[in-house]
Structure formats: structure tokens, C-alpha cells
Amino acid sequence: MSDSGWYVVQCRANQNYRAQENLENQGFTCFQPQLCLEKVRAGRRVQRQEPLFPGYLFIQALPSSRRLLLQSDYIANLLTVNDQEQFARQLEEIHEA
């Protein structure tokens, strides 16, 4: 995807994982940063992964894919990123953290 750029996908309520799975099955590159949280459930400590940005994920796609993406049952909105270079650097920093 040489002319592809990053977009911010606003997912429908509680559909982050389904949206990511659906998009990856269609061949898109997705990034959904995760945070490892430790919670106490029934008196036991449990670790679980939760989205760093609940309700959002990042996708690399061609501009011509926008209409197709918005037809997904799992996507509420698609936000355009104006400064692609800066955004790519920021995603890399999040990925490395």
C-alpha cells in the first residue's frame, strides 16, 4: 500500500475487536494499542488486556477505501489524519512503549 495513509477508526459501541478482525480479514493493517491492567475479581488478581483508546483503532488504507470502510457494521466514523509523518512517529512511539 504505497499511497496508503493512517486513519482513526471510531468503532461502534463495544465493537473494537470485531472491527479489527473484520478489517484485518480484508487485508488492512490495523493497530489497536493495548494496556495490561491488573484487576481484582472475586478476591483474585486477574490481568487482562484492554484498549488504550477504547472505541478507537488505527488503520492504514488507501483513500479510495474510505467508502468501503464506512459500510462496515462495526465502524461508526473514519477520521482523516492530516500530518501523516507525525502520526506515524507517534504510533511507533506507542508501539515501542
Side-chain angles (χ1 to χ4, degrees), residues 37-75:
L37 298 177
E38 189 172 284
K39 295 187 174 190
V40 178
R41 291 247 163 113
R44 300 180 71 197
R45 291 187 186 273
V46 178
Q47 286 188 350
R48 55 183 286 183
Q49 298 277 352
E50 292 188 7
L52 182 59
F53 305 106
Y56 295 90
L57 59 94
F58 309 103
I59 182 173
Q60 199 168 22
L62 293 169
S64 59
S65 301
R66 183 177 180 85
R67 191 170 181 180
L68 171 70
L69 293 167
L70 289 170
Q71 291 175 349
S72 169
D73 292 336
Y74 309 112
I75 297 176

Side-chain angles (χ1 to χ4, degrees), residues 68-88:
L68 171 70
L69 293 167
L70 289 170
Q71 291 175 349
S72 169
D73 292 336
Y74 309 112
I75 297 176
N77 199 7
L78 194 62
L79 308 172
T80 304
V81 175
N82 292 325
D83 189 340
Q84 288 288 320
E85 289 181 25
Q86 180 182 4
F87 193 73

Side-chain angles (χ1 to χ4, degrees), residues 16 27 53 55 63 70 76 90 96:
N16 284 52
F53 305 106
L70 289 170
Q90 291 171 334
E96 292 174 357

